[in-house]
Amino acid sequence: MNTRLRLSTLSPLQHIIKRSYATTPTITTTNNNINISPDAPTKKMNLFTAINNAMDIALETDPKAVIFGEDVGFGGVFRCTTGLRDKHGANRVFNTPLCEQGIAGLAVGYTAAGGTAIAEIQFADYIFPAFDQIVNEAAKYRYRSGNQFACAGLTIRAPYGAVGHGAHYHSQSPENYFVHTPGLKVVIPSTPIQAKGLLLASIRDPNPVIFFEPKWLYRSAVEEVPIDDYMIPLGKARIVREGSDVTVVGYGAQMLVLENACNLAEQKLGISCELIDLCSLLPWDVEAVEASVRKTGRLVISHEAQKTSGFASEIATTIQERCFLSLQAPIQRVCGLDTPFPLIFEKFYVPDHLKNFEAIKQVVHY
């Protein structure tokens, strides 16, 4: 039963006009790392302010872009839309009723008519009532119309993952439900620079995008972010650190955990880890992971979501098919337990840096 009580006012949508992003710069990647001009002006931002900045730019550059969701007019639960209604008006940033199916349905209809919808699901755990609209409508709209129509310009933002006290209704990682769906793109950033560039690219992509945001990093991830408009290509991984002994792959909030595990492996055992941030799960950068595993001969994959049928299974199967003769040890998956997300037992559930350290040690010493 949905126990959230407050209802908000649904604002009328504005006129529809054509989109054009031909002049918007895209950040290039070198060895899957972001390459930003050292002369580009920057500002210190955490992850949620970088997301806010990206949506501000999207509204400024696209007159038909709108933001809607539960409490977004007030800034949202995590303050990601703070100040946007005051700046851009209540007709472009507005609250919806507490109905995720309605939020997704509105996004589908608005983008099918040519608009740009940036819809927020308050927590990723709440996305399931919207599942039918996302999977059966948004994802299939182009295919079933023979490419005559599409939900281009549809982005659904949702904070996901552990937060330390969220229990089973505010901590889930549902990305794999959507990665199984042709017609969608699924993106998960891990840093403020990534969040801004990937969100702008998602908003401007000609396909519907599910943009999961690691709420654990909203305030803890801080860096100098370019203040100008830029995009980061979807489907491209980044190499966080180069190494020679083992490839370690993750995404989202798990990247901080994996960096700590790789540091520990180097300090304690002298193991050189190559750490890869996928950034996008659908599509995912198969070539980047394959090239790394051919070099190291070993692979550890980690994510917060449950192990069974998690995205690590897809990566492991694909790499085993492509790199079988290069592998020197069985591929290791370090993931959440196959239980509902617990409250007091969260520290046992999550795949922390010590679990990943043990997997790295095991695969190298196999």
Side-chain angles (χ1 to χ4, degrees):
M1 180 177 178
N2 192 331
T3 58
R4 292 166 291 154
L5 301 177
R6 183 168 64 252
L7 295 178
S8 305
T9 302
L10 183 62
S11 173
L13 299 175
Q14 296 297 293
H15 59 281
I16 309 298
I17 66 173
K18 293 182 179 179
R19 64 167 61 84
S20 175
Y21 302 113
T23 60
T24 302
T26 299
I27 285 184
T28 58
T29 56
T30 303
N31 296 323
N32 296 298
N33 287 319
I34 300 172
N35 182 20
I36 301 174
S37 169
D39 299 325
T42 63
K43 180 180 179 181
K44 182 175 288 188
M45 301 183 193
N46 57 25
L47 196 132
F48 95 84
T49 53
I51 289 170
N52 179 278
N53 183 229
M55 290 189 285
D56 185 21
I57 291 173
L59 292 172
E60 287 181 342
T61 56
D62 184 354
K64 69 180 178 330
V66 295
I67 298 172
F68 52 88
E70 296 158 7
D71 300 327
V72 299
F74 313 133
V77 171
F78 296 102
R79 318 313 296 164
C80 290
T81 54
T82 298
L84 296 181
R85 182 172 66 175
D86 293 338
K87 181 175 180 179
H88 297 282
N91 286 329
R92 300 188 66 198
V93 182
F94 53 89
N95 298 329
T96 65
L98 304 185
C99 177
E100 287 76 17
Q101 184 179 20
I103 293 171
L106 173 60
V108 169
Y110 185 59
T111 54
T116 300
I118 308 168
E120 178 181 300
I121 303 296
Q122 199 170 75
F123 285 83
D125 312 63
Y126 301 165
I127 204 168
F128 298 109
F131 195 79
D132 180 62
Q133 287 292 326
I134 296 170
V135 170
N136 275 335
E137 303 300 336
K140 296 176 173 61
Y141 210 82
R142 186 191 302 277
Y143 183 84
R144 69 186 180 94
S145 69
N147 203 31
Q148 295 182 71
F149 309 103
C151 292
L154 190 163
T155 303
I156 296 178
R157 299 175 41 250
Y160 86 98
V163 71
H165 52 267
H168 46 284
Y169 289 136
H170 298 84
S171 306
Q172 296 178 75
S173 300
E175 62 270 16
N176 225 48
Y177 291 101
F178 299 97
V179 177
H180 190 67
T181 305
L184 296 178
K185 291 189 176 183
V186 178
V187 178
I188 307 181
S190 63
T191 71
I193 290 177
Q194 292 278 325
K196 178 179 176 179
L198 288 171
L199 181 54
L200 281 168
S202 298
I203 293 168
R204 294 160 175 172
D205 196 90
N207 302 282
V209 179
I210 311 298
F211 193 87
F212 288 114
E213 299 165 4
K215 55 181 177 285
W216 188 275
L217 302 180
Y218 267 145
R219 287 164 175 79
S220 60
V222 181
E223 61 185 341
E224 292 289 330
V225 179
I227 62 176
D228 294 332
D229 187 344
Y230 67 89
M231 296 188 294
I232 298 174
L234 305 184
K236 295 293 183 181
R238 68 184 183 103
I239 297 179
V240 179
R241 59 189 289 170
E242 295 186 351
S244 57
D245 295 328
V246 57
T247 300
V248 181
V249 175
Y251 53 84
Q254 197 63 8
M255 294 311 300
L256 180 60
V257 173
L258 293 177
E259 286 193 64
N260 290 333
C262 291
N263 289 335
L264 188 61
E266 184 175 29
Q267 294 166 7
K268 297 289 187 181
L269 304 173
I271 295 174
S272 174
C273 301
E274 181 145 295
L275 179 57
I276 298 178
D277 179 3
L278 289 181
C279 303
S280 298
L281 302 191
L282 187 61
W284 66 284
D285 196 342
V286 180
E287 291 75 17
V289 178
E290 178 184 356
S292 179
V293 173
R294 288 191 182 278
K295 177 177 67 173
T296 66
R298 304 172 182 90
L299 176 61
V300 174
I301 314 157
S302 185
H303 54 62
E304 278 186 24
Q306 288 89 346
K307 184 176 184 178
T308 298
S309 298
F311 196 66
S313 301
E314 173 65 23
I315 299 172
T317 301
T318 302
I319 296 304
Q320 187 272 343
E321 291 171 347
R322 291 178 172 235
C323 303
F324 181 73
L325 296 179
S326 299
L327 290 171
Q328 300 181 37
I331 296 171
Q332 298 294 306
R333 292 176 293 157
V334 187
C335 310
L337 302 179
D338 289 328
T339 70
F341 200 103
L343 178 57
I344 60 173
F345 296 123
E346 177 175 313
K347 66 179 181 179
F348 301 106
Y349 172 95
V350 295
D352 63 15
H353 73 289
L354 294 177
K355 293 179 183 178
N356 279 281
F357 169 73
E358 290 298 323
I360 291 169
K361 181 171 67 173
Q362 178 180 344
V363 77
V364 171
H365 293 162
Y366 178 77

